[in-house]
Amino acid sequence: MRAAGRSRAAAEQGRGIPVRVAHVQAAGPDDIPEAARTATEILRVTRACGLPPGLHRLEDVLLEFHLSRPDPSSHKIAALLDPVADRPELLETLRTHLAHQQDRRATATALGLHPNTVDNRLAKIGDQTGIELASPRGAALVIAALLLRDTQDTTAGGPSTRP
């Protein structure tokens, strides 16, 4: 059995305990530290994106991984969500909505809310941030902002905002 297959089998036998595993292949012994760093980042991104536990590879989160890399504009993108930063229920609604492919009913079910409450919260986020959440550009902006906010939280030594 290949290493990825063994990792997947091990993750699936977690006895009901959610297990999150990242698989990164190292070309040789000298590449192991970089592969380990990449695996750690993959796990951070999967948590930030609300992906379920399981086996994850870079290819599974390629765009999100790229968007979460800090650069000179990162603080401006992360700041797009500052107007709602003091409203954790709005940020959690946004994360859950994105994790459920922007399906309001699935979001409502996951949060134990009425779909109209989800709509109201998303409207508040849009009103307060000026981001059109239903547009592809708006969705990309909030994904990048959430990922970069998580990066700032973890690199600043603070706890990640994601479980």
Side-chain angles (χ1 to χ4, degrees):
M1 182 182 283
R2 294 186 51 203
R6 286 192 302 269
S7 296
R8 183 183 308 265
E12 290 171 353
Q13 292 179 0
R15 306 272 187 235
I17 299 170
V19 176
R20 201 177 292 271
V21 178
H23 177 266
V24 177
Q25 188 163 344
D30 292 342
D31 298 318
I32 292 174
E34 183 59 30
R37 282 189 290 276
T38 301
T40 299
E41 286 300 299
I42 290 168
L43 293 176
R44 183 187 61 76
V45 169
T46 62
R47 281 191 303 273
C49 292
L51 294 176
L55 177 65
H56 302 281
R57 299 168 300 121
L58 182 58
E59 292 78 7
D60 299 331
V61 291
L62 199 54
L63 176 63
E64 296 87 347
F65 188 92
H66 175 73
L67 291 174
S68 72
R69 307 294 87 196
D71 70 18
S73 68
S74 296
H75 70 283
K76 289 185 177 189
I77 294 173
L80 292 173
L81 293 176
D82 282 354
V84 295
D86 63 341
R87 301 282 308 273
E89 75 281 5
L90 295 181
L91 291 174
E92 188 59 25
T93 300
L94 181 58
R95 287 180 192 283
T96 305
H97 190 60
L98 293 168
H100 288 88
Q101 287 75 44
Q102 298 175 297
D103 180 329
R104 69 188 277 275
R105 292 192 186 280
T107 302
T109 299
L111 294 173
L113 301 171
H114 190 279
N116 290 346
T117 302
V118 171
D119 290 342
N120 291 337
R121 288 183 179 183
L122 294 172
K124 283 181 190 175
I125 294 167
D127 290 344
Q128 292 181 14
T129 64
I131 299 171
E132 176 56 47
L133 299 176
S135 74
R137 183 176 186 277
L141 278 173
V142 296
I143 290 168
L146 288 167
L147 289 166
L148 289 165
R149 290 177 82 81
D150 285 346
T151 298
Q152 290 173 350
D153 288 345
T154 58
T155 58
S160 171
T161 57
R162 298 295 306 158

